[in-house]
Amino acid sequence: MSATVIVGAQWGDEGKGKITDILAETADAVVRYQGGSNAGHTVVVDGDEFKLHLIPSGILHEEALCIMASGTIIDPICMRDEIEALRERGVSCNNLRVSVNAHVIMPYHRLLDGLQEEARGHDSIGTTRRGIGPTYTDKTSRMPESIRMVDLLDDSRLRSLIEAQLAEKNVIIEHLYGGEPVTVDAVFDEIAPTLDVIRPHIADVRDDIRRVLEEGHLVLEGAQGTFLDLDYGTYPFVTSSHPVAGGACLGTGVGPTEIDEVIAIVKAYTTRVGAGSFPTELNDEAGERLRSRGYEFGTTTGRPRRCGWLDGVALRTASELNSATSIAITKLDVLDAEETIKIAVAYEINGKRYERMPENLDMLDHATPIYEEMPGWQQPLSEMSSPDEMPTEAWEYVQRIATLAECDIWGISVGPARAQTIML
Ligand code: GDP
Ligand code: IMO
Ligand code: MG
């Protein structure tokens, strides 16, 4: 009956996990549509923090199906560890299904990701080294020996595919990067112990998605963010999949006219992990304040996130690229103590004013943000639960963000917990 896409409007870590978990309460299925274990989505329940890399952020709601759709890529070791860790904390994961067609991240994809990054030297992307690029590369190059989840159901087939893949990978590992070749036995022995845990979850998921689409509420959970998209992000400093809302259609097989709602998740300021342009980045005390108040350290890699003011130019562009119907503003409380808050409303690049990201994203390196200043509210928001309680300055900041995005506000998050959300 309805389908909602959750999409990151910036460079990832906007708080997609928290908002997805809230929507999952009334959803019949939560489906991750792209990416793999490069994601790190945080859900906080009754003070308990869950960091999810692969498993959809609806997993704590056992009545909702949680699906890794065919557009995602799965690291079996990460998946096994995540399922086991959740079970230890009382989450059954019985509602988890993984598409037979999702491609598999193997240990040598992770190895290659690291070797490629090292070989790039100063030009490295700063990937999560989770094997994302090498696995999507194999998928798109249509290697017959690429491994999909269905192949994990048959030991001898799996072994022969590993053997076939390694015949090529070892040449690259050894001769291009000077690394140690990998043996079939070593890889198989690493993957084999994960299979008992994973196999019960491997399934045809298309019928489930279709049924929920017809009878219930489907939430399609994006990973990463709009400007990490392979086509619409700051290439080459991007991921190898399609986080934009259109990627939800590709990754799940849901057609574009069946999407009812696209909620773009917007952090009240900007962060980025890894290399690439970032026009509103602050390399000063203000940036340091955002990092420490927002605890801006990567969920997956622990790296400090680069921090800066909200980029309204990026937001406008993201809203258009995703056909956002509303925005959820997160981490507003992180700005509680600021005297003055800045928002970039345009860029100046080579003497010309831009209100949207230039299509040639290389130009971003030369962008000077044009800021608008707004007064801060200088009081804590984290206990507030309705817009009426919000100080005028905070409400005005939120309204300004909605005007820049040209869409309605779905809700405002003022803390990591479920209850710390002001619904509109
Ligand atoms: P995701 O990748 O988009 O799901 O976001 P992450 O989980 O990587 O990063 C968001 C971080 O901010 C997590 O630690 C969340 O628990 C936390 N968080 C989410 N919403 C809020 C909020 O409104 N205020 C504060 N202070 N923290 C939040
Ligand atoms: P969530 O879902 C923030 C970044 C990496 C690097 C680039 C490419 O938690 O928002 P990759 O490993 O994908 O090849 O790395 O993308 N990146 C993320 N940044 N949040 C994420 O996920 C990210 N996933 C990848 O830091 O710059
Ligand atoms: Mg994250």
Side-chain angles (χ1 to χ4, degrees):
M1 274 177 353
S2 63
T4 301
V5 176
I6 297 292
V7 60
Q10 293 151 324
W11 279 275
D13 303 324
E14 296 91 348
K16 300 174 293 292
K18 170 180 166 167
I19 305 299
T20 302
D21 166 67
I22 291 175
L23 285 173
E25 202 169 342
T26 51
D28 298 283
V30 177
V31 186
R32 271 272 311 266
Y33 57 84
Q34 45 66 239
S37 40
N38 48 347
H41 294 183
T42 315
V43 175
V44 177
V45 183
D46 300 332
D48 273 350
E49 190 177 66
F50 293 83
K51 289 188 180 294
L52 303 161
H53 298 289
L54 259 185
I55 293 182
S57 304
I59 198 68
L60 304 183
H61 300 271
E62 305 216 359
E63 55 302 333
L65 270 183
C66 280
I67 299 175
M68 294 300 287
S70 57
T72 62
I73 52 177
I74 311 293
D75 183 328
I77 296 165
C78 177
M79 174 140 278
R80 185 262 325 262
D81 291 351
E82 211 161 294
I83 292 172
E84 286 184 342
L86 283 165
R87 286 194 175 140
E88 271 169 30
R89 297 174 73 180
V91 181
S92 77
C93 294
N94 291 343
N95 48 337
L96 175 68
R97 302 208 182 155
V98 184
S99 166
V100 286
N101 289 326
H103 281 243
V104 179
I105 304 176
M106 297 300 277
Y108 41 85
H109 290 119
R110 273 187 270 119
L111 174 67
L112 280 165
D113 195 351
L115 291 170
Q116 285 171 356
E117 279 286 272
E118 267 145 43
R120 287 183 194 117
H122 289 307
D123 297 325
S124 73
I125 296 168
T127 73
T128 58
R129 300 192 178 209
R130 295 297 178 110
I132 304 301
T135 307
Y136 276 119
T137 302
D138 280 357
K139 175 180 174 175
T140 50
S141 72
R142 301 154 299 166
M143 286 175 80
E145 57 272 26
S146 277
I147 301 173
R148 288 170 297 150
M149 290 306 285
V150 67
D151 301 315
L152 299 189
L153 296 174
D154 176 341
D155 280 7
S156 69
R157 179 167 168 75
L158 175 61
R159 181 179 269 280
S160 68
L161 289 171
I162 293 172
E163 199 170 343
Q165 277 211 314
L166 281 180
E168 189 221 28
K169 301 294 177 223
N170 272 335
V171 175
I172 300 172
I173 291 168
E174 229 185 323
H175 298 289
L176 190 59
Y177 297 116
E180 278 294 307
V182 179
T183 68
V184 177
D185 280 346
V187 174
F188 189 80
D189 291 348
E190 209 178 334
I191 300 300
T194 70
L195 297 175
D196 278 354
V197 178
I198 291 174
R199 278 179 176 155
H201 301 281
I202 302 174
D204 291 340
V205 299
R206 203 168 55 195
D207 286 349
D208 288 325
I209 293 176
R210 180 80 3 222
R211 183 177 44 77
V212 172
L213 199 54
E214 279 163 15
E215 295 169 7
H217 183 207
L218 190 63
V219 173
L220 306 173
E221 177 186 10
Q224 290 79 56
T226 301
F227 298 106
L228 290 173
D229 187 277
L230 183 59
D231 279 324
Y232 298 101
T234 47
Y235 189 90
F237 302 101
V238 294
T239 192
S240 297
S241 69
H242 296 288
V244 294
C249 294
L250 295 175
T252 62
V254 171
T257 57
E258 293 184 293
I259 307 289
D260 304 281
E261 190 184 23
V262 176
I263 307 176
I265 315 300
V266 182
K267 198 183 282 194
Y269 49 97
T270 311
T271 61
R272 177 165 200 175
V273 211
S277 33
F278 181 175
T280 62
E281 182 170 16
L282 294 167
N283 290 306
D284 59 5
E285 246 174 58
E288 218 22 83
R289 267 199 318 271
L290 294 175
R291 186 172 308 109
S292 66
R293 290 196 186 135
Y295 196 70
E296 295 296 353
F297 296 89
T299 312
T300 301
T301 57
R303 289 177 288 177
R305 295 173 182 150
R306 300 157 67 195
C307 296
W309 296 118
L310 185 77
D311 184 339
V313 182
L315 178 56
R316 241 186 233 120
T317 313
S319 177
E320 289 175 358
L321 284 169
N322 293 301
S323 300
T325 54
S326 61
I327 52 170
I329 300 169
T330 60
K331 302 190 92 160
L332 190 62
D333 55 299
V334 173
L335 301 177
D336 280 352
E338 297 297 324
E339 233 173 273
T340 304
I341 298 168
K342 291 187 183 182
I343 308 185
V345 292
Y347 300 148
E348 194 192 297
I349 307 174
N350 301 327
K352 199 171 153 200
R353 184 183 167 100
Y354 288 79
E355 300 211 336
R356 283 174 180 67
M357 288 248 200
E359 199 170 353
N360 174 358
L361 289 167
D362 293 346
M363 290 168 69
L364 276 193
D365 287 334
H366 310 287
T368 307
I370 299 171
Y371 286 112
E372 208 171 85
E373 291 192 3
M374 299 187 75
W377 43 93
Q378 300 193 282
Q379 55 177 297
L381 299 180
S382 60
E383 303 283 311
M384 297 181 183
S385 55
S386 99
D388 306 336
E389 296 171 55
M390 286 173 71
T392 318
E393 294 85 353
W395 184 244
E396 282 174 359
Y397 183 62
V398 156
Q399 289 302 318
R400 185 70 185 110
I401 297 175
T403 307
L404 287 164
E406 292 179 31
C407 52
D408 295 337
I409 302 169
W410 174 89
I412 303 158
S413 172
V414 291
R418 283 175 181 165
Q420 291 174 306
T421 313
I422 301 173
M423 302 300 299
L424 273 89

